[in-house]
Short mmCIF file of all heavy atoms in Angstrom, two decimals:
data_model
loop_
_atom_site.label_atom_id
_atom_site.label_comp_id
_atom_site.label_asym_id
_atom_site.label_seq_id
_atom_site.Cartn_x
_atom_site.Cartn_y
_atom_site.Cartn_z
N PRO A 30 -9.79 44.84 -53.58
CA PRO A 30 -9.13 45.09 -52.30
C PRO A 30 -9.78 44.34 -51.23
O PRO A 30 -9.09 43.88 -50.28
CB PRO A 30 -9.15 46.68 -52.18
CG PRO A 30 -10.31 47.04 -53.13
CD PRO A 30 -10.30 46.13 -54.25
N MET A 31 -11.08 44.23 -51.21
CA MET A 31 -11.76 43.59 -50.03
C MET A 31 -11.50 42.09 -50.05
O MET A 31 -11.30 41.45 -49.02
CB MET A 31 -13.33 43.78 -50.14
CG MET A 31 -13.76 45.16 -49.77
SD MET A 31 -15.52 45.28 -49.45
CE MET A 31 -16.22 44.70 -51.11
N ALA A 32 -11.34 41.53 -51.27
CA ALA A 32 -11.17 40.07 -51.39
C ALA A 32 -9.71 39.76 -50.91
O ALA A 32 -9.39 38.55 -50.58
CB ALA A 32 -11.27 39.61 -52.88
N ILE A 33 -8.80 40.66 -50.91
CA ILE A 33 -7.50 40.48 -50.34
C ILE A 33 -7.36 40.95 -48.86
O ILE A 33 -6.89 40.17 -48.04
CB ILE A 33 -6.46 41.25 -51.18
CG1 ILE A 33 -6.41 40.81 -52.65
CG2 ILE A 33 -5.12 41.26 -50.61
CD1 ILE A 33 -5.67 41.71 -53.56
N PHE A 34 -7.90 42.13 -48.60
CA PHE A 34 -7.76 42.63 -47.26
C PHE A 34 -8.51 41.83 -46.09
O PHE A 34 -7.92 41.48 -45.13
CB PHE A 34 -8.30 44.03 -47.14
CG PHE A 34 -8.33 44.61 -45.73
CD1 PHE A 34 -7.17 45.18 -45.18
CD2 PHE A 34 -9.45 44.70 -44.96
CE1 PHE A 34 -7.22 45.70 -43.81
CE2 PHE A 34 -9.45 45.28 -43.71
CZ PHE A 34 -8.38 45.72 -43.10
N PHE A 35 -9.73 41.46 -46.40
CA PHE A 35 -10.50 40.76 -45.47
C PHE A 35 -9.96 39.38 -44.98
O PHE A 35 -9.92 39.01 -43.85
CB PHE A 35 -11.97 40.68 -45.76
CG PHE A 35 -12.67 42.01 -45.80
CD1 PHE A 35 -13.59 42.33 -46.76
CD2 PHE A 35 -12.33 42.95 -44.79
CE1 PHE A 35 -14.26 43.49 -46.64
CE2 PHE A 35 -12.93 44.20 -44.84
CZ PHE A 35 -13.87 44.48 -45.73
N PRO A 36 -9.52 38.59 -46.07
CA PRO A 36 -8.97 37.27 -45.62
C PRO A 36 -7.65 37.46 -44.85
O PRO A 36 -7.43 36.73 -43.82
CB PRO A 36 -8.61 36.66 -46.94
CG PRO A 36 -9.60 37.14 -47.89
CD PRO A 36 -9.82 38.57 -47.52
N LEU A 37 -6.77 38.38 -45.21
CA LEU A 37 -5.58 38.70 -44.51
C LEU A 37 -5.94 39.19 -42.92
O LEU A 37 -5.32 38.68 -41.96
CB LEU A 37 -4.78 39.70 -45.11
CG LEU A 37 -4.09 39.35 -46.52
CD1 LEU A 37 -3.48 40.59 -47.04
CD2 LEU A 37 -3.16 38.20 -46.26
N PHE A 38 -6.90 40.00 -42.84
CA PHE A 38 -7.36 40.53 -41.51
C PHE A 38 -7.90 39.40 -40.69
O PHE A 38 -7.64 39.21 -39.54
CB PHE A 38 -8.29 41.63 -41.64
CG PHE A 38 -8.54 42.47 -40.44
CD1 PHE A 38 -7.57 43.41 -40.04
CD2 PHE A 38 -9.67 42.25 -39.63
CE1 PHE A 38 -7.74 44.19 -38.96
CE2 PHE A 38 -9.78 43.05 -38.45
CZ PHE A 38 -8.91 44.01 -38.13
N THR A 39 -8.67 38.55 -41.39
CA THR A 39 -9.35 37.29 -40.66
C THR A 39 -8.29 36.37 -40.19
O THR A 39 -8.39 35.73 -39.19
CB THR A 39 -10.26 36.64 -41.51
OG1 THR A 39 -11.24 37.62 -42.04
CG2 THR A 39 -11.12 35.63 -40.89
N LEU A 40 -7.22 36.13 -41.02
CA LEU A 40 -6.13 35.31 -40.57
C LEU A 40 -5.41 35.77 -39.32
O LEU A 40 -5.17 34.95 -38.42
CB LEU A 40 -5.10 35.10 -41.72
CG LEU A 40 -5.46 34.26 -42.93
CD1 LEU A 40 -4.49 34.43 -44.06
CD2 LEU A 40 -5.59 32.75 -42.48
N LEU A 41 -5.15 37.10 -39.22
CA LEU A 41 -4.71 37.70 -37.98
C LEU A 41 -5.59 37.49 -36.87
O LEU A 41 -5.15 37.15 -35.68
CB LEU A 41 -4.33 39.14 -38.19
CG LEU A 41 -3.26 39.49 -39.13
CD1 LEU A 41 -3.19 41.02 -39.25
CD2 LEU A 41 -1.92 38.91 -38.62
N GLU A 42 -6.90 37.63 -37.09
CA GLU A 42 -7.86 37.42 -36.05
C GLU A 42 -7.94 36.05 -35.58
O GLU A 42 -7.95 35.74 -34.34
CB GLU A 42 -9.23 37.78 -36.64
CG GLU A 42 -10.37 37.66 -35.71
CD GLU A 42 -11.71 38.05 -36.31
OE1 GLU A 42 -11.75 38.92 -37.18
OE2 GLU A 42 -12.77 37.36 -35.98
N ASP A 43 -7.96 35.01 -36.49
CA ASP A 43 -8.10 33.56 -36.14
C ASP A 43 -6.78 33.09 -35.45
O ASP A 43 -6.78 32.21 -34.54
CB ASP A 43 -8.35 32.73 -37.33
CG ASP A 43 -9.83 32.96 -37.87
OD1 ASP A 43 -10.56 33.62 -37.11
OD2 ASP A 43 -10.04 32.53 -38.96
N PHE A 44 -5.63 33.72 -35.79
CA PHE A 44 -4.43 33.33 -35.21
C PHE A 44 -4.31 33.76 -33.78
O PHE A 44 -3.56 33.13 -32.90
CB PHE A 44 -3.18 33.99 -35.99
CG PHE A 44 -1.88 33.73 -35.43
CD1 PHE A 44 -1.30 32.46 -35.32
CD2 PHE A 44 -1.10 34.78 -34.91
CE1 PHE A 44 -0.07 32.15 -34.81
CE2 PHE A 44 0.20 34.53 -34.35
CZ PHE A 44 0.68 33.24 -34.32
N GLY A 45 -5.17 34.84 -33.37
CA GLY A 45 -5.18 35.25 -31.99
C GLY A 45 -4.38 36.54 -31.81
O GLY A 45 -4.11 36.89 -30.62
N TYR A 46 -4.12 37.29 -32.80
CA TYR A 46 -3.25 38.45 -32.77
C TYR A 46 -4.12 39.66 -32.27
O TYR A 46 -3.50 40.48 -31.66
CB TYR A 46 -2.48 38.80 -33.99
CG TYR A 46 -1.62 39.97 -33.96
CD1 TYR A 46 -0.53 39.92 -33.04
CD2 TYR A 46 -1.86 41.15 -34.57
CE1 TYR A 46 0.31 40.96 -32.88
CE2 TYR A 46 -1.05 42.25 -34.47
CZ TYR A 46 0.04 42.11 -33.67
OH TYR A 46 0.83 43.21 -33.46
N LEU A 47 -5.38 39.76 -32.64
CA LEU A 47 -6.08 40.92 -32.25
C LEU A 47 -6.14 41.24 -30.79
O LEU A 47 -6.14 42.36 -30.32
CB LEU A 47 -7.57 40.90 -32.87
CG LEU A 47 -7.63 41.09 -34.31
CD1 LEU A 47 -9.13 41.20 -34.74
CD2 LEU A 47 -6.88 42.34 -34.86
N PRO A 48 -6.35 40.18 -29.86
CA PRO A 48 -6.22 40.47 -28.47
C PRO A 48 -4.98 41.02 -28.05
O PRO A 48 -4.92 41.81 -27.09
CB PRO A 48 -6.61 39.09 -27.80
CG PRO A 48 -7.35 38.34 -28.90
CD PRO A 48 -6.66 38.82 -30.17
N ARG A 49 -3.87 40.69 -28.73
CA ARG A 49 -2.61 41.22 -28.38
C ARG A 49 -2.56 42.69 -28.74
O ARG A 49 -1.87 43.48 -28.00
CB ARG A 49 -1.50 40.52 -29.14
CG ARG A 49 -0.97 39.31 -28.38
CD ARG A 49 -1.92 38.14 -28.50
NE ARG A 49 -1.54 37.00 -27.61
CZ ARG A 49 -2.24 35.90 -27.54
NH1 ARG A 49 -3.35 35.72 -28.24
NH2 ARG A 49 -1.85 34.90 -26.70
N VAL A 50 -3.19 43.20 -29.75
CA VAL A 50 -3.33 44.53 -30.23
C VAL A 50 -4.08 45.22 -29.06
O VAL A 50 -3.73 46.38 -28.57
CB VAL A 50 -4.03 44.72 -31.54
CG1 VAL A 50 -4.28 46.17 -31.79
CG2 VAL A 50 -3.20 44.12 -32.59
N ALA A 51 -5.12 44.59 -28.55
CA ALA A 51 -6.05 45.15 -27.49
C ALA A 51 -5.08 45.33 -26.19
O ALA A 51 -5.23 46.41 -25.47
CB ALA A 51 -7.21 44.37 -27.22
N PHE A 52 -4.31 44.38 -25.98
CA PHE A 52 -3.49 44.37 -24.75
C PHE A 52 -2.46 45.52 -24.84
O PHE A 52 -2.24 46.22 -23.90
CB PHE A 52 -2.72 43.02 -24.63
CG PHE A 52 -1.80 42.96 -23.48
CD1 PHE A 52 -2.29 42.55 -22.19
CD2 PHE A 52 -0.47 43.29 -23.56
CE1 PHE A 52 -1.46 42.52 -21.12
CE2 PHE A 52 0.38 43.30 -22.52
CZ PHE A 52 -0.04 42.86 -21.26
N ASN A 53 -1.92 45.74 -25.99
CA ASN A 53 -0.95 46.79 -26.23
C ASN A 53 -1.56 48.14 -26.09
O ASN A 53 -0.93 49.13 -25.54
CB ASN A 53 -0.23 46.69 -27.58
CG ASN A 53 0.59 45.36 -27.72
OD1 ASN A 53 1.11 44.89 -26.71
ND2 ASN A 53 0.76 44.92 -28.96
N LEU A 54 -2.81 48.28 -26.40
CA LEU A 54 -3.53 49.53 -26.41
C LEU A 54 -4.22 49.88 -25.04
O LEU A 54 -4.67 50.95 -24.89
CB LEU A 54 -4.59 49.69 -27.60
CG LEU A 54 -3.96 49.65 -28.98
CD1 LEU A 54 -5.08 49.61 -30.08
CD2 LEU A 54 -3.04 50.89 -29.23
N ASP A 55 -4.28 48.82 -24.12
CA ASP A 55 -5.15 49.02 -23.03
C ASP A 55 -4.70 50.19 -22.14
O ASP A 55 -5.50 50.97 -21.64
CB ASP A 55 -4.97 47.63 -22.25
CG ASP A 55 -5.61 47.77 -20.87
OD1 ASP A 55 -6.85 48.26 -20.77
OD2 ASP A 55 -5.04 47.48 -19.80
N GLU A 56 -3.37 50.37 -21.91
CA GLU A 56 -2.97 51.42 -21.10
C GLU A 56 -3.30 52.79 -21.72
O GLU A 56 -3.65 53.72 -20.94
CB GLU A 56 -1.42 51.31 -20.98
CG GLU A 56 -0.83 52.48 -20.07
CD GLU A 56 -1.28 52.45 -18.63
OE1 GLU A 56 -1.81 51.46 -18.27
OE2 GLU A 56 -1.10 53.49 -17.98
N LEU A 57 -3.24 52.89 -23.09
CA LEU A 57 -3.62 54.12 -23.66
C LEU A 57 -5.06 54.48 -23.48
O LEU A 57 -5.50 55.68 -23.27
CB LEU A 57 -3.22 54.09 -25.17
CG LEU A 57 -1.72 53.99 -25.46
CD1 LEU A 57 -1.53 53.85 -26.93
CD2 LEU A 57 -0.96 55.22 -24.87
N PHE A 58 -5.96 53.45 -23.51
CA PHE A 58 -7.36 53.71 -23.32
C PHE A 58 -7.54 54.08 -21.87
O PHE A 58 -8.48 54.94 -21.69
CB PHE A 58 -8.15 52.41 -23.71
CG PHE A 58 -8.56 52.35 -25.11
CD1 PHE A 58 -7.87 51.38 -25.93
CD2 PHE A 58 -9.55 53.13 -25.63
CE1 PHE A 58 -8.16 51.34 -27.37
CE2 PHE A 58 -9.80 53.05 -27.05
CZ PHE A 58 -9.21 52.15 -27.87
N ARG A 59 -6.88 53.46 -20.93
CA ARG A 59 -7.15 53.77 -19.52
C ARG A 59 -6.69 55.23 -19.38
O ARG A 59 -7.42 56.00 -18.62
CB ARG A 59 -6.24 52.84 -18.68
CG ARG A 59 -6.54 52.97 -17.21
CD ARG A 59 -5.47 52.27 -16.36
NE ARG A 59 -4.16 52.73 -16.49
CZ ARG A 59 -3.69 53.84 -15.86
NH1 ARG A 59 -4.53 54.55 -15.07
NH2 ARG A 59 -2.46 54.26 -16.08
N ARG A 60 -5.61 55.63 -19.87
CA ARG A 60 -5.20 57.04 -19.68
C ARG A 60 -6.10 58.06 -20.30
O ARG A 60 -6.23 59.21 -19.90
CB ARG A 60 -3.75 57.27 -20.27
CG ARG A 60 -2.67 56.46 -19.54
CD ARG A 60 -1.28 56.85 -19.96
NE ARG A 60 -0.28 56.14 -19.22
CZ ARG A 60 1.00 56.21 -19.39
NH1 ARG A 60 1.46 57.18 -20.37
NH2 ARG A 60 1.91 55.59 -18.68
#
């Protein structure tokens, strides 16, 4: 599972998607 999950997660990270997750969650953290 790690050999599958981590490359997929890293691909999302390198693509630049994680900051978009942070952006979507920002208002909830502020509240």
Side-chain angles (χ1 to χ4, degrees):
M31 287 195 302
I33 297 172
F34 174 79
F35 292 144
L37 292 174
F38 197 78
T39 306
L40 285 171
L41 289 178
E42 177 183 329
D43 290 348
F44 179 63
Y46 182 66
L47 287 188
R49 274 73 188 179
V50 174
F52 180 86
N53 292 335
L54 295 175
D55 172 53
E56 178 63 17
L57 296 177
F58 274 104
R59 187 190 66 79
R60 291 186 179 184

